Amino acid sequence: MRVIVAKTAGFCMGVKKAMDIVLDAASDKDTNGTVYTDGPLIHNPQVLDLLRQKGIGVAQDSSDLSRSTVVIRAHGITPARRQQLEQQRVKICDATCPHVKRVQRIISKYAKQGYSTLIVGDKGHAEVIGLLGYAEGRGYVAETLDDVDKLPPLQKVCIVAQTTQDRRMFEKITEKLKDRYDSCEVFGTVCSSTSERQAEVISLSKSVDAMIVVGGRGSANTNRLVKISEAEGKPTFHIETVEELNPKMLRDFDVIGVTAGASTPHWLITRVVEKLESYQSGRFGKLQKSLKYIAMYFVGSNAYASIGAACLTYANCLIMGIKPEVIYSAIAALSLFSALALDHFANKEANTLNEPFRASFYQKRSSLIIGLGIFGAALSLTLSFLVSPYVFLLVFFTSLSGMAYRLEIIPKKLPNIIYYRSLKQIQGSKELFFSVALAVYTALIPFLGSGSRYFSSLSVAFFFTFCIVFIRAVLFDIRNVQGDMLVGKETIPIAIGKEKTKIILGSMAVILAIFLAITPRIGWTSYIGFYMVSCVIYACCYSYLYHKRILGDGLLYEFAVDFNFILAGIAAFVGENLFVVQW
């Protein structure tokens, strides 16, 4: 069985924006009272359950909203409802989808000119109800072609679409409305994301044997994807969770297409895809499954990242003009393996949402991984002692500070004026600490162990490692931002926003590239430093590919990101052994 996942599957821009707004409101330290959404934020039961666990309620008629924050959901609300909220003196956060706002403005503008509004959409849908509120009492809904015949005589008509409407149905109903009414102003307000998603389902259905659509059964856009797929003549299965899958329902199909509604989170899609791929049979299927299992074991166990740390140590030794020693690379690899393995269990809740494949891998082998993590830490300390007592103390205190990272340093009994009671509560502290720690393991330890006195070369290696690791860590934070917000993690993208974070990373990459290009010329380091510019270019490339959704966010993404450490070792080896550069 082969699985093809639609590129447009999952959260659309409007839903992402709504999620960001409601999670920002919930984590706002200045927010008093409860955070409510005015109706279900999106039509996905699993996401709504997570929001409830975070203390975000759904406003009911009986809800006391005084001193609370109310988030207007992506579907929008009527002007009358907004006025009611304002009269209750609540703090309003507007998460209305920008595409829905555009339709609201169109209806309002033409209603003031005496037009009646005809909305092609689902009767009773939250978005449609909100749009009708802008029609000044002259709004009508056409859900099917038959509904057009039931409409009253009208003079001037403004025709719009529910943003998640089937474009083909909108066009059919519009043509019939034009035949019935002489004066029609038509606005194709089906959002581009919806159109792309629907077009991809039609295209994908031509190359698969069956389609699986993941999403809430109350989601209009998800149900529409199901109908479009069925209209293409493909067996189509609508599921909400991975538990609804079973091998029997798919045993007659070789190629399965997977798509999802705009309100379906990526972790649900990932779990469905993993379950489907586990059904692979036949010689080729078993081989493919085995290769993926090996790759997952390699990446999921952090062995891959640990090899990267060893390669990075090798590169830093050459940057500093130090003879690479296996023991230096071993200390770095074991220390990183131990830190990542034990860190997973401290962040189990977030990893379940952000990295389903790794969470599943760890859950099945928790005792083994904890044991290997402790063994790795002990062995790295033993090896560091063999290098020198100073290196041993450095590794010991770096490891100790990592364990103390989550401890509550400031007791709760002290005044509430002290908000940060542990290092992990400070936004960005984990990224900074992780970057410094890996720079210590891969640059400072070889420097101390060799007895080198060229501090300028150490500064180059340390700064290079810090920047590359920091970019890696923050890019993972950007990918995981909504899962982290749901569990209350504090990261840089959460603190300052994803766009500002990207600007910081871009600026850091430019500064690092210039720094690496200049320092060999001024004698701070060996010419190997120049070859490390390739790592900066590579980081920019995989960031771009991820941003354009060419590179996914699962196993392949982790493999691509952590390859940068290995690339550093390859570039250093090539520069040292194959080229002679004269500066």
Side-chain angles (χ1 to χ4, degrees):
M1 180 187 295
R2 188 161 65 95
V3 181
I4 303 176
V5 184
K7 293 181 180 179
T8 55
F11 279 174
C12 67
M13 175 272 294
V15 171
K16 287 180 182 176
K17 177 175 178 287
M19 286 290 292
D20 287 345
I21 288 174
V22 75
L23 291 171
D24 280 340
S27 60
D28 187 355
K29 303 176 187 63
D30 297 326
T31 298
N32 293 318
T34 307
V35 175
Y36 291 96
T37 59
D38 192 49
L41 183 72
I42 56 177
H43 292 142
N44 185 277
Q46 291 73 38
V47 174
L48 296 180
D49 284 342
L50 288 171
L51 293 178
R52 276 193 292 271
Q53 292 171 22
K54 196 167 176 63
I56 299 170
V58 177
Q60 308 292 339
D61 292 338
S62 59
S63 300
D64 180 9
L65 303 180
S66 58
R67 299 182 69 244
S68 296
T69 297
V70 176
V71 179
I72 297 174
R73 55 183 171 168
H75 307 103
I77 57 174
T78 65
R81 177 56 178 163
R82 180 183 284 271
Q83 189 175 15
Q84 289 177 358
L85 293 174
E86 290 172 348
Q87 288 173 350
Q88 294 184 60
R89 299 182 182 277
V90 301
K91 180 181 178 181
I92 297 176
C93 294
D94 193 350
T96 306
C97 172
H99 294 296
V100 175
K101 283 187 176 182
R102 173 175 173 259
V103 188
Q104 292 173 348
R105 289 193 295 267
I106 291 171
I107 295 174
S108 181
K109 175 184 175 180
Y110 280 85
K112 287 180 173 61
Q113 298 175 26
Y115 279 76
S116 297
T117 299
L118 282 173
I119 303 171
V120 180
D122 301 324
K123 296 175 182 177
H125 188 275
E127 179 187 331
V128 173
I129 293 172
L131 294 177
L132 286 171
Y134 288 82
E136 297 186 1
R138 297 187 302 277
Y140 304 90
V141 182
E143 188 170 343
T144 65
L145 288 169
D146 292 339
D147 289 335
V148 177
D149 300 326
K150 302 173 186 176
L151 294 170
L154 302 170
Q155 295 299 316
K156 298 188 297 182
V157 178
C158 170
I159 303 173
V160 297
Q162 178 184 337
T163 58
T164 56
Q165 182 60 247
D166 182 346
R167 184 178 292 276
R168 295 177 300 179
M169 178 58 71
F170 172 69
E171 292 171 352
K172 290 177 183 178
I173 293 177
T174 297
E175 288 304 314
K176 192 168 183 179
L177 288 169
K178 284 181 178 179
D179 291 339
R180 177 161 186 187
Y181 300 111
D182 296 330
S183 179
C184 293
E185 293 289 338
V186 181
F187 298 90
T189 54
V190 177
C191 82
S192 57
S193 175
T194 296
S195 298
E196 291 169 5
R197 199 180 301 262
Q198 293 172 357
E200 190 176 19
V201 167
I202 295 171
S203 174
L204 185 58
S205 65
K206 292 178 171 57
S207 56
V208 300
D209 301 320
M211 286 289 297
I212 291 179
V213 183
V214 188
R217 288 189 168 79
S219 166
N221 74 86
T222 302
N223 285 310
R224 200 157 282 119
L225 293 177
V226 174
K227 291 177 181 177
I228 291 172
S229 177
E230 290 174 339
E232 293 299 311
K234 290 296 178 183
T236 304
F237 304 92
H238 181 185
I239 65 171
E240 278 194 0
T241 65
V242 69
E243 285 74 23
E244 297 176 43
L245 284 175
N246 67 75
K248 292 182 180 179
M249 64 190 279
L250 302 169
R251 63 187 174 188
D252 296 328
F253 308 114
D254 294 324
V255 184
I256 306 294
V258 177
T259 190
S263 55
T264 306
H266 83 276
W267 64 82
L268 285 180
I269 303 170
T270 302
R271 289 172 184 170
V272 168
V273 172
E274 288 177 355
K275 187 70 173 288
L276 288 172
E277 290 177 341
S278 71
Y279 295 156
Q280 293 174 344
S281 60
R283 182 176 299 177
F284 179 76
K286 289 179 179 178
L287 176 62
Q288 187 179 14
K289 183 178 177 180
S290 298
L291 290 174
K292 182 171 182 181
Y293 180 82
I294 293 170
M296 184 178 291
Y297 200 98
F298 199 46
V299 176
S301 67
N302 298 311
Y304 180 64
S306 301
I307 291 173
C311 292
L312 190 56
T313 305
Y314 171 81
N316 281 334
C317 287
L318 294 182
I319 289 172
M320 296 184 290
I322 296 170
K323 180 183 177 182
E325 298 283 354
V326 173
I327 195 169
Y328 301 148
S329 292
I331 291 171
L334 289 167
S335 297
L336 180 62
F337 177 84
S338 173
L340 292 177
L342 299 177
D343 179 72
H344 171 85
F345 294 99
N347 291 287
K348 187 183 296 184
E349 189 179 8
N351 289 333
T352 300
L353 300 179
N354 298 327
E355 303 175 81
F357 80 93
R358 188 187 296 276
S360 175
F361 179 89
Y362 271 57
Q363 185 179 6
K364 295 175 182 177
R365 305 164 181 83
S366 57
S367 299
L368 174 63
I369 292 172
I370 290 175
L372 289 175
I374 295 172
F375 175 76
L379 186 55
S380 68
L381 285 169
T382 303
L383 292 177
S384 64
F385 185 78
L386 295 176
V387 175
S388 77
Y390 298 109
V391 171
F392 171 80
L393 290 174
L394 182 61
V395 173
F396 177 77
F397 283 111
T398 303
S399 303
L400 190 64
S401 60
M403 290 186 283
Y405 174 77
R406 290 178 178 79
L407 296 179
E408 190 174 277
I409 301 172
I410 308 297
K412 290 182 179 180
K413 62 182 179 181
L414 291 182
N416 289 332
I417 193 172
I418 304 174
Y419 177 76
Y420 298 112
R421 300 183 180 277
S422 66
L423 291 174
K424 75 171 185 177
Q425 291 180 298
I426 302 174
Q427 290 92 340
S429 60
K430 181 178 179 181
E431 296 92 332
L432 291 170
F433 178 83
F434 181 69
S435 303
V436 170
L438 203 52
V440 167
Y441 291 134
T442 63
L444 184 55
I445 286 174
F447 180 83
L448 293 176
S450 67
S452 174
R453 293 294 180 268
Y454 295 106
F455 290 97
S456 59
S457 65
L458 171 64
S459 66
V460 175
F462 200 94
F463 183 66
F464 162 69
T465 303
F466 175 86
C467 291
I468 289 296
V469 176
F470 184 82
I471 290 171
R472 170 202 183 271
V474 176
L475 283 173
F476 279 130
D477 288 340
I478 292 174
R479 179 194 69 171
N480 300 337
V481 65
Q482 288 185 343
D484 288 342
M485 292 180 80
L486 280 169
V487 299
K489 285 185 67 177
E490 304 285 357
T491 64
I492 292 175
I494 291 174
I496 66 174
K498 289 186 283 189
E499 295 308 315
K500 289 182 180 178
T501 303
K502 290 175 184 177
I503 292 173
I504 290 174
L505 296 185
S507 302
M508 179 178 284
V510 171
I511 292 170
L512 178 59
I514 295 172
F515 183 75
L516 291 171
I518 291 176
T519 48
R521 291 182 177 272
I522 61 177
W524 279 23
T525 183
S526 72
Y527 65 84
I528 296 298
F530 178 77
Y531 287 94
M532 295 303 106
V533 176
S534 62
C535 297
V536 182
I537 296 172
Y538 178 77
C540 294
C541 288
Y542 68 64
S543 301
Y544 175 80
L545 292 175
Y546 174 73
H547 178 70
K548 291 297 182 180
R549 302 193 71 173
I550 298 172
L551 184 65
D553 56 5
L555 187 67
L556 181 61
Y557 180 73
E558 293 215 19
F559 189 90
V561 171
D562 284 340
F563 179 75
N564 208 9
F565 296 163
I566 296 175
L567 178 62
I570 294 173
F573 178 83
V574 169
E576 177 72 7
N577 294 281
L578 300 183
F579 295 99
V580 177
V581 179
Q582 298 294 331
W583 297 101

